[in-house]
Amino acid sequence: MISMRAVAAGRHILAPTSHSHSHSPAGGAATASTATFRRRFSASAIKMSAGQIVEHVVLFKVKPDVEPLKINEMVGNLNGLSSMPQVLHLTAGAVVQTRSSSFAFTHMLHSRYASKSDLADYSAHPDHLGVVRANVLPICDDIMAVDWVSDELSGPVKVPPGSAFRVTFLKLKENLGENEKNEILTVTKGIKEKFPSINQLSVGENFSPARAKGFSIASIAVFGGAKELEALESQSAAANEQKDKVRRFLDGVLVVDYAVPALHTVNL
């Protein structure tokens, strides 16, 4: 388990100490406030109009017996892909927790692109393929990837260090019609109004089904820091109310919490 506050504060622990799915809050330096987060957004981040951003999330399950050095090399080289010209934003590291009875992912990569073709070029690039072959495949038991177009993304493309994510993937029941699917998307997009601590929300339908393990609706809720994300636990009634609106349409839910490292320059 990795403390979200520890990661967000810059103590970037790349090798997980446990593959447990539960979460044990830990102390640490206070993360940036929502106001600070928004100031950083407005001051330095790339901004694009709605409908232009392609989201790419990859989840990795590292084998339990892998030595920390190899995990650190994987994370460091994945983060090194942020310099590729197609990449607008990229972060990779250990997840804080995976909420699922079926999966135990330990690490995550999140990146953003201006178009599907840019994502395709990134995926096929020798630098990306080299990292996958040399650092990812030899040490991972399981990999899952989900891609979608965020058609209503507001705010910056680059997510500031110290921010916290809640990534949610929904697996729909078979033979659902477009009306039901649209209802799910509408409810998911509406959660930002219910939870003001969400600074940015990206929602869309996966367009890479071969790698997504049956999950087809994806969302990323971005918070100013670990404290804001952890505060959601005290709003369980409101969260359950939103879930109840679409629960009858779902065959599965996968939720991953992640903290963007405060510093990518720490020793790996």
Side-chain angles (χ1 to χ4, degrees):
M1 188 70 55
I2 294 175
S3 164
M4 178 178 289
R5 290 180 179 174
V7 177
R11 298 186 294 277
H12 190 192
I13 307 169
L14 299 178
T17 58
S18 169
H19 287 178
S20 169
H21 300 189
S22 62
H23 177 54
S24 298
T31 56
S33 67
T34 299
T36 302
F37 175 90
R38 286 169 176 160
R39 285 197 298 271
R40 285 182 293 171
F41 266 22
S42 61
S44 61
I46 297 172
K47 293 189 178 182
M48 302 180 72
S49 61
Q52 292 181 298
I53 297 304
V54 173
E55 304 276 16
H56 176 60
V57 173
V58 185
L59 299 174
F60 311 91
K61 180 185 176 185
V62 173
K63 298 174 184 177
D65 58 346
V66 175
E67 59 185 270
L69 177 62
K70 291 187 180 297
I71 300 175
N72 294 350
E73 288 177 349
M74 178 188 78
V75 173
N77 287 328
L78 287 173
N79 277 309
L81 298 174
S82 63
S83 63
M84 292 177 60
Q86 301 89 352
V87 177
L88 299 177
H89 163 77
L90 186 149
T91 178
V95 304
V96 176
Q97 64 176 342
T98 300
R99 298 169 182 259
S100 171
S101 60
S102 303
F103 301 99
F105 293 110
T106 60
H107 292 74
M108 186 182 93
L109 177 145
H110 170 241
S111 54
R112 287 174 165 173
Y113 306 83
S115 66
K116 290 182 180 180
S117 61
D118 279 356
L119 173 57
D121 290 344
Y122 158 86
S123 299
H125 195 282
D127 289 352
H128 170 257
L129 294 175
V131 173
V132 171
R133 291 166 182 159
N135 302 114
V136 176
L137 296 179
I139 70 170
C140 289
D141 270 337
D142 196 10
I143 300 173
M144 170 180 165
V146 179
D147 307 313
W148 71 97
V149 176
S150 182
D151 57 1
E152 296 180 3
L153 186 72
S154 62
V157 175
K158 288 183 177 291
V159 181
S163 306
F165 289 179
R166 175 154 291 174
V167 183
T168 304
F169 299 131
L170 305 179
K171 183 182 294 185
L172 308 188
K173 292 182 177 179
E174 293 185 7
N175 303 318
L176 284 185
E178 287 299 314
N179 289 339
E180 289 85 356
K181 186 184 300 183
N182 289 335
E183 183 176 346
I184 295 168
L185 288 168
T186 299
V187 170
T188 305
K189 291 176 181 179
I191 66 172
K192 192 173 186 299
E193 297 179 0
K194 301 291 184 179
F195 301 97
S197 58
I198 297 175
N199 287 314
Q200 187 181 73
L201 181 66
S202 173
V203 180
E205 187 173 356
N206 177 51
F207 60 80
S208 301
R211 305 181 297 166
K213 301 185 182 296
F215 292 90
S216 59
I217 302 293
S219 67
I220 295 177
V222 182
F223 298 81
K227 183 171 65 174
E228 288 82 2
L229 178 52
E230 290 170 353
L232 284 185
E233 303 304 322
S234 65
Q235 300 175 281
S236 58
N240 288 332
E241 180 183 349
Q242 295 300 106
K243 293 176 185 177
D244 288 342
K245 294 178 181 179
V246 299
R247 200 184 303 274
R248 65 189 184 280
F249 301 136
L250 304 180
D251 258 348
V253 179
L254 171 60
V255 178
V256 176
D257 290 344
Y258 173 78
V260 181
L263 295 172
H264 280 313
T265 57
V266 296
N267 293 330
L268 298 175

